[in-house]
Amino acid sequence: DVIKTITAENAPWECVDESGAALPLKEIPSFVTLATGEPQRDVVIGIRRDENGIAWIKLNTEVVRDNHSDKPIGVLTTFIDVTKERDEKERLREQGERAQMAIESTGMGVWDWYPAERKMIWDAKLFQLYGYLNANAVSSVAAWKKAIHPEDSEWVNAEAEDKMANA
């Protein structure tokens, strides 16, 4: 009964889009389905209730039809709270931006090593630091092996093989 008495005009919350801007009534998924007859899938909107911020939900909607006449009589809306997932995604995005700024400001190159796959990935800056103007000129493994001092080659290669064998 409580749900039936809440309308867009008297709702104790405000719907917002992913940028945090107020979401016009006609863009709220339930109203879109009501107006168009088309279901809405995996639409994320925010619900601003009070000073505690915004809760983010992912909605799906479906038209409810009369069993006899097939006339639309309502909209079924289901949702799941995705606030934690969205907040974590935003935190990781910001962390990535900070890391990228640190890398760029120090002139560092970045590499990833996947020993089990015997694969190494370098970014363009690392190839540049190793003296390669074209990152496609040589594989990252070949560039790395070429940079090993000849006196260190035997033990470095043995260590690398050991790490890859035990990955």
Side-chain angles (χ1 to χ4, degrees):
D1 288 335
V2 173
I3 297 285
K4 292 179 184 176
T5 62
I6 296 175
T7 66
E9 291 77 26
N10 71 5
W13 59 77
E14 174 189 21
C15 294
V16 296
D17 65 19
E18 293 205 64
S19 74
L23 194 62
L25 184 64
K26 66 182 181 179
E27 293 179 25
I28 296 172
S30 300
F31 289 94
V32 171
T33 298
L34 193 60
T36 66
E38 295 295 318
Q40 301 296 297
R41 299 285 180 251
D42 298 325
V43 179
V44 176
I45 66 169
I47 306 295
R48 185 183 332 231
R49 291 195 58 156
D50 52 30
E51 67 280 348
N52 292 330
I54 298 173
W56 296 96
I57 59 174
K58 185 188 304 186
L59 295 134
N60 290 301
T61 64
E62 191 70 51
V63 174
V64 177
R65 299 185 181 279
D66 180 83
N67 286 339
H68 302 292
S69 68
D70 203 37
K71 176 184 171 189
I73 58 172
V75 174
L76 173 67
T77 302
T78 59
F79 61 90
I80 185 169
D81 186 338
V82 295
T83 305
K84 287 181 183 176
E85 292 87 348
R86 190 173 191 281
D87 290 349
E88 181 64 14
K89 185 177 178 181
E90 179 63 16
R91 187 187 70 73
L92 288 172
R93 185 193 63 74
E94 289 172 357
Q95 184 178 6
E97 285 180 0
R98 286 192 309 273
Q100 188 62 37
M101 284 190 312
I103 289 165
E104 289 173 5
S105 67
T106 60
M108 294 188 315
V110 178
W111 59 279
D112 294 304
W113 184 29
Y114 303 93
E117 300 170 29
R118 297 181 169 269
K119 183 166 105 176
M120 189 182 293
I121 300 173
W122 286 13
D123 71 352
K125 182 65 177 178
L126 197 55
F127 277 105
Q128 182 185 1
L129 290 170
Y130 271 71
Y132 295 97
L133 299 179
N134 180 353
N136 296 324
V138 64
S139 76
S140 54
V141 174
W144 175 74
K145 284 186 174 187
K146 186 177 178 186
I148 299 170
H149 190 279
E151 292 176 12
D152 297 329
S153 181
E154 186 177 325
W155 76 265
V156 169
N157 286 322
E159 284 291 319
E161 285 298 321
D162 179 60
K163 299 301 181 237
M164 288 184 278
N166 295 310

